[in-house]
């Protein structure tokens, strides 16, 4: 799996995901800029894919985003200069992260895991794989992080294969997305679907004109 370059023209030709999960990655040199417009970006992408100009992104009582009047599901993650949005037919969660503090992540790794779930000598990449895996699943659970990050057990594996993960008798399918520079990302789905990752090569109108 790798990131496929995608222009706005190519975006309009994709059509809605049918039994698939589209993952869109955007980067801007201004930290936090895309984060400010993540809702507008998600709406724009959904409208382009479906042809429905009336689609709106809202949040449920737990703060989870959803598209009104659509069977599609959406998940949003932002970190540093990057914004990642997944749109899928299955329930979906995505997360992308980088190391913010090289001195503190080992303690954080031990805190978010039970001892039996830990690598003995984890690398930064393995920590990020673990963190993004947990967060992508928590985004689909009522309450999110209030559910308890330690209660979600993920495989001690940094491979790109699918891993089934059970949380309260619900099964999720988890895998790593392609690396982007020094960033690690994961996706979780309630059903196995083809994952198509796209790197958008041109700014979206709602962001460009903001």
């Amino acid at each position: 799996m790798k990131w496929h370059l995608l222009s706005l023209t190519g975006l309009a030709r994709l059509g809605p995901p049918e039994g698939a999960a589209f993952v869109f990655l955007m980067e801007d040199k201004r930290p936090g800029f895309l984060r400010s417009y993540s809702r507008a970006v998600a709406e724009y992408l959904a409208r382009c894919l479906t042809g429905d100009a009336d689609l709106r992104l809202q949040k449920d009582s737990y703060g989870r985003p959803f598209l009104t009047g659509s069977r599609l599901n959406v998940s949003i993650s932002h970190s540093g200069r990057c914004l990642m949005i997944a749109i899928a037919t299955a329930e979906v969660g995505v997360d992308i992260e980088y190391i913010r503090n090289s001195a503190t992540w080992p303690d954080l790794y031990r805190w978010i895991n039970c001892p039996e779930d830990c690598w003995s000598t984890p690398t930064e990449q393995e920590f990020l794989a673990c963190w993004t895996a947990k967060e992508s699943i928590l985004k689909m659970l009522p309450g999110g992080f209030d559910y308890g990050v330690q209660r979600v057990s993920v495989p001690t594996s940094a491979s790109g294969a699918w891993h089934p993960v059970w949380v309260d008798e619900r099964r999720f399918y988890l895998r790593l997305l392609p690396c982007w520079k020094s960033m690690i990302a994961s996706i979780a789905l309630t059903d196995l679907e083809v994952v198509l990752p796209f790197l958008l090569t041109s700014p979206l109108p709602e962001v460009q004109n903001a």
Side-chain angles (χ1 to χ4, degrees):
M1 187 189 298
K2 64 179 182 180
W3 293 106
H4 300 279
L5 301 182
L6 185 69
S7 65
L8 290 185
T9 302
L11 173 63
R13 294 174 180 168
L14 276 181
E18 296 293 341
F22 293 164
V23 181
F24 301 98
L25 179 64
M26 290 139 275
E27 186 176 29
D28 190 275
K29 62 183 179 181
R30 296 161 290 185
F33 177 74
L34 287 173
R35 177 176 186 151
S36 303
Y37 300 98
S38 57
R39 178 172 178 168
V41 172
E43 287 182 347
Y44 179 86
L45 292 173
R47 292 169 186 168
C48 284
L49 295 175
T50 63
D52 185 350
D54 295 324
L55 276 183
R56 294 289 185 273
L57 185 140
Q58 296 184 359
K59 292 186 177 182
D60 65 15
S61 58
Y62 294 106
R64 297 174 298 189
F66 70 95
L67 296 165
T68 59
S70 175
R71 64 184 179 85
L72 297 178
N73 296 284
V74 63
S75 182
I76 300 171
S77 179
H78 23 63
S79 185
R81 298 177 175 182
C82 288
L83 171 65
M84 177 178 286
I85 295 174
I87 299 176
T89 50
E91 290 183 58
V92 61
V94 290
D95 189 51
I96 183 169
E97 297 289 349
Y98 67 97
I99 292 293
R100 291 177 170 81
N101 190 321
S102 58
T104 60
W105 72 260
D107 289 335
L108 181 58
Y109 178 77
R110 287 187 289 271
W111 177 75
I112 65 173
N113 285 303
C114 298
E116 58 269 23
D117 290 339
C118 290
W119 291 90
S120 56
T121 54
T123 64
E124 290 185 351
Q125 290 74 23
E126 288 163 347
F127 161 68
L128 289 175
C130 175
W131 179 272
T132 58
K134 286 173 177 278
E135 186 160 347
S136 63
I137 292 173
L138 286 167
K139 286 182 176 182
M140 289 185 282
L141 299 178
F145 264 84
D146 289 341
Y147 176 85
V149 66
Q150 297 93 341
R151 295 174 61 190
V152 177
S153 177
V154 298
T156 52
S157 171
S159 76
W162 285 108
H163 299 283
V165 175
W166 292 88
V167 180
D168 288 346
E169 299 184 352
R170 288 189 68 192
R171 182 172 60 186
F172 300 91
Y173 294 97
L174 174 71
R175 71 175 299 173
L176 284 172
L177 290 166
C179 296
W180 175 249
K181 299 182 179 178
S182 61
M183 307 188 82
I184 301 292
S186 293
I187 184 170
L189 296 161
T190 52
D191 297 295
L192 279 176
E193 294 188 340
V194 175
V195 177
L196 299 173
F198 298 104
L199 177 65
L200 291 178
T201 58
S202 50
L204 304 183
E206 272 81 353
V207 174
Q208 190 175 31
N209 299 326

